[in-house]
Amino acid sequence: MKKTGLILAMLTFVIAAAGQTCHVKSIVSIDAGCNAYLVVTDAGSVLVDAGSHHKMKAFDRAIQKAGVSYKDIRYIVITHTHYDHVINLAEIREVSNAKIIVHEREKYYLESGLTPLPAGMTSLGKLGIWVTRNFRKSKTIAIPAVPDIVINKPYIIPGFGFTIIPTPGHSEGSISMIINDSVCFCGDAAFAVSGKNLMPVTGDSKTGIISSWELLLAMGIKQFYPGHGKPFGASDLQKSVEKNKK
């Protein structure tokens, strides 16, 4: 908890010094093999994650629904580089010219197109990873994309004031984006698909995931938009912390 306290103090300072500089008009959820999100503001749009195979039309529909164009996307935040979050990244960047933000520990995977597979943390997760590794390995290969902004600490998106923070556990370089000081796009730091337990079925470190949850709760985040499943609140996450620390 000492480490969490130090990180929280640093984040509080960074967020207070910057402040959100744009007005959020809408949040469009995109069913793209993972949940991707288009955050539309008066300063342009930020896209969170780029989805899986055969999902480009889902992004087309989201753009149309939001009443914007691909050229309005100024940044693409990649929460982590598992294939279901990055397959359409190169194409979206080509049509938008948006800047890509990723953690330094995920940079290699974007640039090489060789996306990693996490460990399974449940029987279902282990089975899914085994099947992918042995029969669907080609699915993990993406078109390489060179990131524009590589982070290893909290970062404020210029012109938006949105905060990007490291939330490791599901992968070493997992990151989350916070808007309005209380809404978090957390990627696969939590799975809201299996009842009330938000622990992902795959990941690199269960203790790392719990530490990231505790950090987000300490920051006062109230609403979470996950990479899989439906949005959930702080009370749901707190219950999962308590359940998984037993």
Side-chain angles (χ1 to χ4, degrees), residues 58-236:
F59 290 95
D60 294 341
R61 290 191 293 269
I63 289 289
Q64 184 176 24
K65 179 179 178 180
V68 298
S69 72
Y70 278 105
K71 294 297 184 183
D72 292 312
I73 301 175
R74 293 178 56 192
Y75 294 91
I76 305 170
V77 177
I78 298 300
T79 62
H80 62 294
T81 56
H82 294 159
Y83 75 89
D84 55 329
H85 292 253
V86 301
I87 288 296
N88 303 289
L89 177 59
E91 185 172 355
I92 294 172
R93 203 259 284 276
E94 183 176 354
V95 297
S96 67
N97 202 33
K99 293 182 178 179
I100 298 170
I101 303 174
V102 74
H103 193 280
E104 68 176 7
R105 292 187 179 275
E106 310 273 329
K107 176 175 179 284
Y108 164 79
Y109 301 115
L110 280 190
E111 292 180 340
S112 67
L114 303 175
T115 68
L117 284 172
M121 298 202 302
T122 66
S123 296
L124 178 62
K126 291 175 182 178
L127 176 61
I129 295 301
W130 183 85
V131 169
T132 301
R133 181 173 288 117
N134 288 280
F135 300 103
R136 299 177 179 176
K137 187 66 174 176
S138 62
K139 284 184 171 289
T140 67
I141 300 174
I143 298 173
V146 178
D148 302 278
I149 300 167
V150 179
I151 71 167
N152 60 10
K153 59 185 177 182
Y155 176 79
I156 305 296
I157 300 180
F160 290 83
F162 297 164
T163 304
I164 308 293
I165 65 168
T167 46
H170 181 67
S171 72
E172 278 193 305
S174 287
I175 58 177
S176 296
M177 184 176 84
I178 298 167
I179 69 172
N180 297 337
D181 295 334
S182 62
V183 176
C184 177
F185 300 87
C186 62
D188 287 1
F191 275 31
V193 295
S194 55
K196 296 181 179 180
N197 188 0
L198 299 171
M199 182 60 67
V201 297
T202 63
D204 292 340
S205 170
K206 182 176 180 179
T207 57
I209 290 169
I210 294 171
S211 293
S212 289
W213 288 356
E214 290 177 324
L215 173 62
L216 292 167
L217 288 169
M219 290 178 66
I221 305 300
K222 303 299 182 187
Q223 184 74 20
F224 296 86
Y225 289 86
H228 299 276
K230 296 180 180 180
F232 58 90
S235 62
D236 300 308

Side-chain angles (χ1 to χ4, degrees), residues 11-27:
L11 284 171
T12 302
F13 174 80
V14 170
I15 293 169
Q20 188 165 310
T21 57
C22 65
H23 170 67
V24 176
K25 295 180 178 179
S26 63
I27 299 170

